[in-house]
Coordinates of all heavy atoms in Angstrom, one line a residue:
E146 N 103.8 121.3 92.4 CA 102.5 121.9 92.1 C 101.5 120.8 91.8 O 101.7 120.0 91.0 CB 102.6 122.9 90.9 CG 101.2 123.5 90.7 CD 101.3 124.7 89.7 OE1 102.4 125.0 89.2 OE2 100.2 125.2 89.3
L147 N 100.4 120.9 92.5 CA 99.2 120.0 92.3 C 98.2 120.9 91.7 O 97.8 122.0 92.3 CB 98.7 119.4 93.5 CG 99.6 118.5 94.3 CD1 98.9 118.0 95.6 CD2 100.1 117.3 93.5
S148 N 97.6 120.6 90.5 CA 96.6 121.4 89.9 C 95.5 120.6 89.3 O 95.8 119.6 88.6 CB 97.2 122.3 88.8 OG 96.3 123.2 88.2
R149 N 94.3 120.9 89.7 CA 93.1 120.1 89.3 C 93.2 118.6 89.6 O 93.0 117.8 88.8 CB 92.9 120.3 87.8 CG 92.6 121.8 87.5 CD 92.4 122.0 86.0 NE 92.4 123.4 85.6 CZ 91.3 124.1 85.5 NH1 90.1 123.6 85.6 NH2 91.4 125.4 85.2
T150 N 93.6 118.3 90.9 CA 93.7 117.0 91.3 C 92.6 116.6 92.3 O 92.0 117.5 92.9 CB 95.1 116.7 92.0 OG1 95.2 117.5 93.1 CG2 96.2 117.0 91.0
T151 N 92.4 115.3 92.6 CA 91.5 114.9 93.6 C 92.2 113.8 94.4 O 92.9 112.9 93.9 CB 90.3 114.2 92.9 OG1 89.6 115.2 92.1 CG2 89.3 113.8 94.0
S152 N 92.1 114.0 95.7 CA 92.6 113.0 96.7 C 94.1 112.8 96.6 O 94.6 111.6 96.7 CB 91.9 111.7 96.6 OG 90.5 111.9 96.9
C153 N 94.9 113.8 96.4 CA 96.4 113.7 96.4 C 97.0 114.1 97.7 O 96.4 114.9 98.4 CB 96.9 114.6 95.2 SG 96.6 113.9 93.6
R154 N 98.2 113.5 98.0 CA 98.9 113.8 99.2 C 100.3 114.2 98.9 O 101.0 113.6 98.1 CB 98.9 112.6 100.1 CG 97.5 112.1 100.5 CD 97.7 110.9 101.4 NE 98.1 111.2 102.8 CZ 97.3 111.6 103.8 NH1 96.1 111.8 103.6 NH2 97.8 111.9 104.9
V155 N 100.8 115.2 99.6 CA 102.2 115.6 99.6 C 102.7 115.4 101.1 O 102.1 116.1 101.9 CB 102.4 117.0 99.1 CG1 103.9 117.4 99.2 CG2 101.9 117.2 97.7
E156 N 103.6 114.5 101.3 CA 104.0 114.3 102.7 C 105.6 114.2 102.8 O 106.2 113.7 101.9 CB 103.5 112.9 103.2 CG 102.0 112.9 103.3 CD 101.5 111.5 103.8 OE1 101.9 110.5 103.2 OE2 100.7 111.5 104.7
S157 N 106.1 114.8 103.8 CA 107.5 114.7 104.2 C 108.4 115.2 103.1 O 109.4 114.6 102.7 CB 107.9 113.2 104.6 OG 107.1 112.8 105.6
V158 N 108.1 116.3 102.5 CA 108.8 116.9 101.4 C 109.5 118.2 101.9 O 108.9 118.9 102.7 CB 107.9 117.3 100.2 CG1 108.6 118.1 99.2 CG2 107.3 116.0 99.6
H159 N 110.7 118.5 101.5 CA 111.4 119.7 101.8 C 111.6 120.5 100.5 O 112.3 120.1 99.6 CB 112.8 119.5 102.4 CG 113.4 120.7 102.9 ND1 114.7 120.7 103.3 CD2 113.0 122.0 102.9 CE1 115.0 122.0 103.7 NE2 114.0 122.8 103.4
A160 N 110.8 121.6 100.4 CA 110.9 122.4 99.2 C 111.7 123.7 99.5 O 111.3 124.4 100.4 CB 109.5 122.8 98.7
T161 N 112.7 123.9 98.8 CA 113.6 125.1 99.1 C 114.1 125.7 97.8 O 114.4 125.0 96.8 CB 114.7 124.7 100.1 OG1 115.4 125.9 100.4 CG2 115.7 123.7 99.5
G162 N 114.3 127.0 97.7 CA 114.9 127.7 96.6 C 114.0 127.7 95.4 O 114.5 127.9 94.3
C163 N 112.7 127.6 95.5 CA 111.8 127.7 94.4 C 111.1 129.0 94.3 O 111.3 129.9 95.2 CB 110.7 126.6 94.5 SG 111.3 124.9 94.8
L164 N 110.2 129.2 93.3 CA 109.4 130.4 93.3 C 108.4 130.3 94.5 O 108.4 131.1 95.4 CB 108.6 130.6 92.0 CG 107.7 131.8 91.9 CD1 108.4 133.1 92.2 CD2 106.9 131.8 90.6
D165 N 107.5 129.3 94.4 CA 106.6 128.9 95.5 C 107.0 127.5 95.9 O 107.3 126.7 95.0 CB 105.2 128.9 95.1 CG 104.6 130.3 94.9 OD1 104.8 131.1 95.8 OD2 104.1 130.6 93.8
G166 N 107.1 127.2 97.1 CA 107.5 125.9 97.6 C 106.6 124.8 97.2 O 106.9 123.9 96.4
I167 N 105.4 124.8 97.7 CA 104.3 123.8 97.4 C 103.1 124.5 97.0 O 102.6 125.4 97.8 CB 104.1 122.9 98.6 CG1 105.4 122.1 99.0 CG2 103.0 121.9 98.3 CD1 105.3 121.4 100.3
V168 N 102.5 124.2 95.9 CA 101.3 124.9 95.4 C 100.2 123.8 95.2 O 100.4 122.8 94.5 CB 101.5 125.6 94.1 CG1 100.2 126.2 93.6 CG2 102.6 126.7 94.3
V169 N 99.0 124.1 95.8 CA 97.8 123.2 95.5 C 96.8 124.2 94.9 O 96.3 125.1 95.6 CB 97.3 122.6 96.8 CG1 96.1 121.8 96.5 CG2 98.4 121.7 97.4
N170 N 96.4 124.0 93.7 CA 95.5 124.9 93.0 C 94.4 124.1 92.3 O 94.6 123.1 91.7 CB 96.4 125.6 91.9 CG 95.6 126.6 91.2 OD1 94.7 127.3 91.7 ND2 95.9 126.8 89.9
R171 N 93.1 124.6 92.6 CA 91.9 124.0 92.0 C 91.9 122.5 92.2 O 91.6 121.8 91.2 CB 91.9 124.4 90.5 CG 91.7 125.9 90.3 CD 91.6 126.2 88.8 NE 91.5 127.7 88.7 CZ 91.2 128.3 87.6 NH1 90.9 127.6 86.5 NH2 91.1 129.6 87.6
S172 N 92.1 122.1 93.4 CA 92.1 120.7 93.7 C 91.0 120.4 94.8 O 90.6 121.3 95.4 CB 93.5 120.2 94.2 OG 94.4 120.4 93.2
S173 N 90.7 119.1 95.0 CA 89.8 118.8 96.1 C 90.4 117.6 96.9 O 91.1 116.8 96.3 CB 88.4 118.4 95.5 OG 88.5 117.3 94.7
Q174 N 90.2 117.6 98.1 CA 90.7 116.6 99.1 C 92.2 116.4 99.0 O 92.7 115.3 99.2 CB 89.9 115.3 98.8 CG 88.4 115.4 98.9 CD 87.7 114.2 98.4 OE1 88.3 113.2 97.9 NE2 86.4 114.2 98.6
A175 N 92.9 117.4 98.8 CA 94.4 117.4 98.8 C 94.9 117.5 100.3 O 94.3 118.2 101.1 CB 95.0 118.5 97.9
V176 N 96.0 116.9 100.6 CA 96.6 116.9 101.9 C 98.0 117.2 101.8 O 98.7 116.6 101.0 CB 96.4 115.6 102.7 CG1 97.1 115.7 104.0 CG2 94.9 115.3 102.9
V177 N 98.5 118.3 102.4 CA 99.9 118.6 102.5 C 100.3 118.5 104.0 O 99.8 119.2 104.8 CB 100.2 120.0 102.0 CG1 101.7 120.3 102.1 CG2 99.8 120.2 100.5
S178 N 101.2 117.5 104.3 CA 101.5 117.3 105.7 C 102.9 116.9 105.9 O 103.6 116.3 105.1 CB 100.6 116.2 106.3 OG 100.8 115.0 105.7
A179 N 103.4 117.3 107.1 CA 104.8 117.0 107.5 C 105.9 117.5 106.5 O 106.9 116.8 106.3 CB 105.0 115.5 107.8
C180 N 105.6 118.6 105.9 CA 106.5 119.2 104.9 C 107.3 120.4 105.5 O 106.8 121.0 106.4 CB 105.8 119.6 103.7 SG 105.1 118.2 102.8
E181 N 108.4 120.7 104.9 CA 109.1 121.9 105.2 C 109.3 122.7 104.0 O 109.7 122.1 102.9 CB 110.5 121.6 105.9 CG 111.3 122.8 106.3 CD 112.6 122.5 106.9 OE1 112.9 121.3 107.2 OE2 113.3 123.5 107.3
S182 N 109.1 124.0 104.0 CA 109.2 124.8 102.9 C 109.9 126.1 103.3 O 109.5 126.9 104.2 CB 107.8 125.2 102.3 OG 107.9 125.8 101.1
S183 N 111.1 126.3 102.7 CA 111.9 127.4 103.2 C 112.7 128.1 102.0 O 113.0 127.4 101.0 CB 112.9 127.0 104.3 OG 113.8 126.0 103.7
A184 N 113.1 129.3 102.2 CA 114.0 130.1 101.3 C 113.4 130.1 99.9 O 114.2 130.0 98.9 CB 115.4 129.5 101.3
N185 N 112.1 130.2 99.8 CA 111.5 130.3 98.4 C 111.3 131.8 98.1 O 111.1 132.6 99.0 CB 110.2 129.5 98.4 CG 110.4 128.1 98.6 OD1 111.0 127.4 97.7 ND2 109.9 127.5 99.7
A186 N 111.2 132.1 96.8 CA 111.1 133.5 96.3 C 109.8 134.1 96.6 O 109.7 135.3 96.6 CB 111.5 133.5 94.8
S187 N 108.8 133.3 96.8 CA 107.4 133.8 97.2 C 106.9 133.1 98.4 O 107.4 133.3 99.5 CB 106.5 133.7 96.0 OG 105.3 134.4 96.2
D188 N 105.9 132.3 98.2 CA 105.2 131.6 99.3 C 105.8 130.2 99.7 O 106.3 129.6 98.7 CB 103.7 131.4 99.1 CG 103.0 132.7 98.8 OD1 103.3 133.7 99.5 OD2 102.1 132.7 98.0
G189 N 105.8 129.8 100.9 CA 106.2 128.5 101.3 C 105.2 127.5 100.8 O 105.6 126.5 100.2
V190 N 103.9 127.7 101.2 CA 102.8 126.8 100.7 C 101.7 127.7 100.3 O 101.3 128.6 101.0 CB 102.3 125.9 101.9 CG1 101.1 125.0 101.4 CG2 103.4 124.9 102.4
Q191 N 101.2 127.4 99.1 CA 100.0 128.2 98.6 C 98.9 127.2 98.3 O 99.0 126.2 97.6 CB 100.4 128.9 97.3 CG 99.4 129.8 96.7 CD 99.8 130.4 95.4 OE1 99.6 129.7 94.4 NE2 100.3 131.6 95.5
L192 N 97.7 127.5 98.9 CA 96.5 126.7 98.7 C 95.5 127.6 98.2 O 95.1 128.6 98.8 CB 96.1 126.1 100.1 CG 94.8 125.3 100.1 CD1 95.0 124.0 99.3 CD2 94.4 124.9 101.5
S193 N 95.1 127.4 96.9 CA 94.2 128.3 96.3 C 93.1 127.6 95.5 O 93.4 126.6 94.9 CB 94.9 129.3 95.4 OG 95.5 128.7 94.3
R194 N 91.9 128.1 95.6 CA 90.7 127.6 94.8 C 90.6 126.1 95.0 O 90.2 125.4 94.0 CB 90.8 128.0 93.4 CG 90.8 129.5 93.2 CD 90.9 129.9 91.7 NE 91.9 131.0 91.7 CZ 92.6 131.2 90.6 NH1 92.5 130.5 89.5 NH2 93.5 132.2 90.6
S195 N 90.8 125.6 96.2 CA 90.7 124.2 96.5 C 89.6 124.0 97.5 O 89.5 124.8 98.4 CB 92.0 123.7 96.9 OG 93.0 123.8 95.9
V196 N 89.0 122.8 97.5 CA 87.9 122.5 98.4 C 88.3 121.2 99.2 O 89.0 120.4 98.7 CB 86.5 122.4 97.7 CG1 86.1 123.7 97.1 CG2 86.6 121.3 96.7
A197 N 87.8 121.2 100.4 CA 88.0 120.0 101.3 C 89.5 119.5 101.3 O 89.8 118.4 101.3 CB 87.1 118.8 100.8
S198 N 90.4 120.5 101.3 CA 91.8 120.2 101.4 C 92.4 120.7 102.7 O 91.8 121.5 103.4 CB 92.5 120.9 100.2 OG 92.1 120.4 99.0
S199 N 93.5 120.1 103.1 CA 94.1 120.4 104.4 C 95.6 120.5 104.4 O 96.3 119.9 103.6 CB 93.6 119.4 105.5 OG 94.2 118.1 105.2
L200 N 96.0 121.3 105.4 CA 97.5 121.5 105.6 C 97.7 121.1 107.1 O 96.9 121.6 108.0 CB 97.9 123.0 105.4 CG 97.6 123.6 104.1 CD1 97.9 125.1 104.1 CD2 98.3 122.9 103.0
A201 N 98.7 120.3 107.4 CA 98.9 119.9 108.8 C 100.4 119.6 109.1 O 101.0 119.0 108.2 CB 98.1 118.6 109.1
D202 N 100.8 120.1 110.2 CA 102.2 119.8 110.7 C 103.3 120.1 109.7 O 104.3 119.4 109.5 CB 102.3 118.3 111.1 CG 101.3 117.9 112.1 OD1 101.1 118.7 113.1 OD2 100.7 116.8 112.0
N203 N 103.1 121.3 109.1 CA 104.1 121.8 108.1 C 105.0 122.9 108.8 O 104.5 123.6 109.7 CB 103.4 122.4 106.9 CG 102.7 121.3 106.2 OD1 103.2 120.3 105.6 ND2 101.4 121.4 106.1
S204 N 106.2 123.0 108.4 CA 107.1 124.1 108.8 C 107.4 125.0 107.6 O 108.0 124.5 106.6 CB 108.4 123.5 109.4 OG 109.3 124.5 109.8
C205 N 107.1 126.2 107.7 CA 107.4 127.2 106.6 C 108.1 128.4 107.2 O 107.6 129.0 108.1 CB 106.1 127.7 106.0 SG 105.1 126.3 105.3
H206 N 109.3 128.6 106.7 CA 110.1 129.7 107.3 C 111.1 130.3 106.2 O 111.4 129.6 105.2 CB 110.9 129.2 108.5 CG 111.8 128.0 108.2 ND1 113.1 128.2 107.8 CD2 111.5 126.7 108.2 CE1 113.6 127.0 107.6 NE2 112.7 126.1 107.8
D207 N 111.5 131.5 106.4 CA 112.4 132.2 105.6 C 112.0 132.3 104.1 O 112.9 132.3 103.2 CB 113.8 131.6 105.7 CG 114.3 131.6 107.2 OD1 114.2 132.7 107.8 OD2 114.8 130.6 107.6
N208 N 110.7 132.4 103.9 CA 110.2 132.6 102.5 C 110.0 134.1 102.3 O 109.8 134.8 103.3 CB 108.9 131.9 102.3 CG 109.1 130.4 102.4 OD1 109.7 129.7 101.6 ND2 108.5 129.8 103.5
A209 N 110.2 134.6 101.1 CA 110.1 136.0 100.8 C 108.8 136.6 101.0 O 108.7 137.8 101.4 CB 110.6 136.3 99.4
S210 N 107.7 135.9 100.8 CA 106.3 136.4 100.9 C 105.7 135.8 102.2 O 106.0 136.1 103.3 CB 105.5 136.2 99.7 OG 104.3 136.9 99.7
H211 N 104.7 134.9 102.0 CA 104.0 134.3 103.1 C 104.6 132.9 103.4 O 105.1 132.2 102.5 CB 102.5 134.1 102.7 CG 101.8 135.3 102.3 ND1 101.6 135.8 101.1 CD2 101.2 136.3 103.1 CE1 101.0 136.9 101.1 NE2 100.7 137.3 102.3
G212 N 104.5 132.5 104.6 CA 104.8 131.1 104.9 C 103.7 130.2 104.3 O 104.0 129.3 103.6
I213 N 102.5 130.5 104.7 CA 101.3 129.8 104.1 C 100.3 130.8 103.6 O 99.9 131.7 104.3 CB 100.7 128.9 105.1 CG1 101.7 127.8 105.6 CG2 99.4 128.2 104.6 CD1 101.2 126.9 106.7
D214 N 99.9 130.7 102.3 CA 99.0 131.6 101.7 C 97.8 130.8 101.3 O 97.9 129.9 100.5 CB 99.6 132.3 100.5 CG 98.7 133.3 99.8 OD1 97.8 133.8 100.5 OD2 98.9 133.6 98.7
V215 N 96.6 131.1 101.9 CA 95.4 130.4 101.6 C 94.4 131.4 101.0 O 94.1 132.4 101.6 CB 94.7 129.7 102.8 CG1 93.4 129.1 102.5 CG2 95.7 128.7 103.5
N216 N 93.9 131.1 99.8 CA 93.0 132.1 99.2 C 91.9 131.3 98.4 O 92.1 130.1 98.0 CB 93.7 133.1 98.3 CG 94.5 132.5 97.2 OD1 93.9 132.0 96.3 ND2 95.8 132.7 97.2
R217 N 90.8 131.9 98.1 CA 89.8 131.3 97.4 C 89.8 131.8 95.9 O 89.4 131.5 95.0 CB 88.4 131.6 98.0 CG 88.3 131.1 99.3 CD 87.0 131.3 99.9 NE 87.0 130.7 101.3 CZ 85.9 130.3 101.9 NH1 84.7 130.5 101.3 NH2 86.0 129.8 103.0

Side-chain angles (χ1 to χ4, degrees):
E146 182 172 354
L147 302 177
S148 185
R149 300 178 189 263
T150 63
T151 301
S152 299
C153 287
R154 298 180 74 84
V155 177
E156 295 178 309
S157 302
V158 170
H159 186 186
T161 186
C163 305
L164 175 59
D165 289 306
I167 299 169
V168 177
V169 179
N170 184 33
R171 296 182 183 194
S172 297
S173 64
Q174 301 171 357
V176 176
V177 178
S178 65
C180 294
E181 181 176 359
S182 189
S183 62
N185 294 295
S187 188
D188 300 324
V190 176
Q191 183 184 85
L192 179 65
S193 63
R194 295 178 227 153
S195 297
V196 296
S198 297
S199 65
L200 307 173
D202 300 320
N203 298 295
S204 174
C205 300
H206 57 91
D207 301 315
N208 295 292
S210 188
H211 301 98
I213 298 174
D214 182 21
V215 178
N216 60 67
R217 296 182 179 206

